[in-house]
Amino acid sequence: NSSKKIGVIGSGLIGRSYTMLFISAGYRVTLYDILPEQTQSAKKDIWEQLGALEREGLLRGTLTRQQQFDLISTTQNLEECVKDAFFVQECVPENLEIKRSVWFKVDKLVDNNVILSSSTSALLPSVISEGLEYKNRFIVSHPTNPPFYAPATEVVPASWTDADVKEKTIALLKEVGQVPVVLNKEIKGFVLNRIQYSILGECYRLIRDGVVSPEDVDTIMSQGLGVRYAFMGPWETAYLNANGMLHYGELYSDMILGIQQDLGPPERMEGPTLEAVNEAMRKLAGPEETIPARRQWRDRRLTALAKLKKEM
Ligand code: NAD
């Protein structure tokens, strides 16, 4: 793959992760950012992260840390980033104006063979790519953070995206070790965040109504639902909880409907309820200034889980 080039635009958290994924399969990556110091710190960070993965036996692909790292070049010139690239992954901030301004520039620098892929978490592909000459080459590849340990990636085409763009994006993501999930049509929040925000909405109401403490809501997930969800989704969970799905429906559909009808309407998270959750989290996870250390704690656990899942 070393003759094949990918352009990565934006070298923050997600640009770094995508770069690491692509080099693991031997692709050359040219990394661009409007801030030159960002690409420099990205290279340093990637070198360290590759080292940590190597130590844990989690380095992807067959190349060594040094061989992978040598595939990265950086630039302050957008044209150099996308020139001759067969795939462009955009990882700039989640802001429609910034994304559209970047893509309109890229649009002038590419041809109809390229794939134009955005990391957006919530902007619709049709909204970002409307008006681009090569909007038929545009697609969203939304990773889960951190991508190395949570490989599911939502692939979201617009109605005008060419079929081969979808197929080739899926193939590339699989090749670099990700687990792509294709949405048949674009929808606000895609799938991951629709599920995530449904959970947050109900957790919020449970706190507001004084049913349980914020810590206990988290315990229900971390010691209950989440334990299974590390290995299977809600459908397989249900399937195994009865003698198949139809049996599950016979047993529980009425009860589930009754509970779902009892859930409240959407509500903005704010005010005393949000403050109470924050206080509880400060006790549980540590005050705000210790969040970076707690993230490292989380990432060590995610690493251990990734190793376990790899062995199974
Ligand atoms: P980030 O802030 O860490 O990085 C953004 C980078 O883009 C910065 O280095 C910034 O200097 C650069 N940038 C800003 N304007 C630019 C421009 N015009 N041209 C080139 N580079 C520019 O952000 P991130 O967390 O990496 O998020 C990037 C995208 O990925 C967003 O759309 C976000 O929604 C999405 N995403 C983030 C996560 C997450 O958990 N952080 C998960 C999935 C998807």
Side-chain angles (χ1 to χ4, degrees):
N1 277 331
S2 64
S3 59
K4 293 183 83 178
K5 173 187 159 178
I6 296 178
V8 173
I9 305 175
S11 61
L13 193 68
I14 297 301
R16 293 168 194 201
S17 297
Y18 263 122
T19 299
M20 289 171 61
L21 291 170
F22 296 141
I23 58 176
S24 76
Y27 290 104
R28 282 186 298 122
V29 171
T30 304
L31 184 57
Y32 163 81
D33 202 287
I34 35 164
L35 301 176
E37 63 271 23
Q38 270 294 82
T39 51
Q40 288 323 304
S41 89
K43 275 190 85 170
K44 190 164 164 285
D45 183 27
I46 289 170
W47 175 250
E48 280 160 17
Q49 287 195 57
L50 289 173
L53 287 168
E54 195 173 49
R55 281 194 296 282
E56 298 289 345
L58 290 170
L59 202 60
R60 289 191 191 174
T62 53
L63 302 177
T64 64
R65 175 194 193 187
Q66 184 71 53
Q67 285 170 327
Q68 295 193 21
F69 188 73
D70 290 344
L71 291 166
I72 306 172
S73 53
T74 60
T75 180
Q76 290 156 45
N77 179 322
L78 185 61
E79 182 168 5
E80 205 177 299
C81 172
V82 303
K83 191 174 184 302
D84 300 326
F86 75 100
F87 194 91
V88 176
Q89 183 67 40
E90 165 269 306
C91 313
V92 303
E94 188 74 358
N95 171 300
L96 182 61
E97 281 67 46
I98 299 178
K99 290 209 190 276
R100 277 179 63 81
S101 106
V102 166
W103 281 118
F104 272 84
K105 283 181 206 145
V106 174
D107 199 38
K108 304 264 179 305
L109 302 167
V110 293
D111 62 28
N112 204 29
N113 295 316
V114 75
I115 293 175
L116 307 172
S117 168
S118 174
S119 308
T120 183
S121 308
L123 298 165
L124 296 182
S126 63
V127 174
I128 302 179
S129 64
E130 172 78 73
L132 292 181
E133 181 178 355
Y134 294 115
K135 68 179 187 177
N136 57 313
R137 309 304 295 167
F138 191 87
I139 198 156
V140 165
S141 309
H142 170 230
T144 313
N145 195 43
F148 251 85
Y149 303 114
T153 307
E154 293 180 292
V155 174
V156 192
S159 61
W160 48 65
T161 304
D162 289 344
D164 75 295
V165 169
K166 187 174 84 178
E167 299 313 324
K168 287 173 183 158
T169 302
I170 295 167
L172 175 65
L173 288 168
K174 283 186 181 165
E175 187 190 359
V176 302
Q178 294 302 89
V179 180
V181 171
V182 184
L183 274 61
N184 296 322
K185 54 181 171 188
E186 56 179 15
I187 184 171
K188 194 180 221 177
F190 309 144
V191 172
L192 185 141
N193 279 326
R194 287 179 84 93
I195 297 172
Q196 174 164 239
Y197 297 154
S198 312
I199 294 173
L200 268 185
E202 181 52 19
C203 292
Y204 184 82
R205 287 187 291 265
L206 288 166
I207 307 307
R208 185 207 53 199
D209 294 347
V211 179
V212 274
S213 66
E215 296 92 325
D216 284 351
V217 168
D218 271 20
T219 301
I220 293 284
M221 290 302 286
S222 64
Q223 305 294 337
L225 286 175
V227 178
R228 290 192 299 230
Y229 286 171
F231 297 94
M232 64 181 70
W235 288 127
E236 189 176 351
T237 300
Y239 187 77
L240 299 184
N241 277 355
N243 295 320
M245 218 51 236
L246 302 182
H247 183 223
Y248 188 88
E250 265 169 49
L251 292 177
Y252 302 120
S253 283
D254 287 336
M255 179 199 73
I256 291 171
L257 180 63
I259 294 172
Q260 284 171 333
Q261 285 167 338
D262 193 55
L263 302 175
E267 216 179 302
R268 192 166 193 283
M269 300 195 299
E270 61 191 350
T273 303
L274 198 61
E275 284 159 28
V277 175
N278 195 53
E279 265 321 295
M281 291 306 109
R282 295 183 95 236
K283 289 204 191 84
L284 183 108
E288 284 84 344
E289 59 275 18
T290 64
I291 286 176
R294 185 72 172 174
R295 282 196 193 119
Q296 286 180 3
W297 171 92
R298 174 198 67 190
D299 290 347
R300 282 198 302 279
R301 270 147 192 82
L302 289 174
T303 307
L305 183 63
K307 278 170 97 168
L308 177 64
K309 290 184 68 137
K310 198 177 156 193
E311 283 158 13
M312 289 182 356

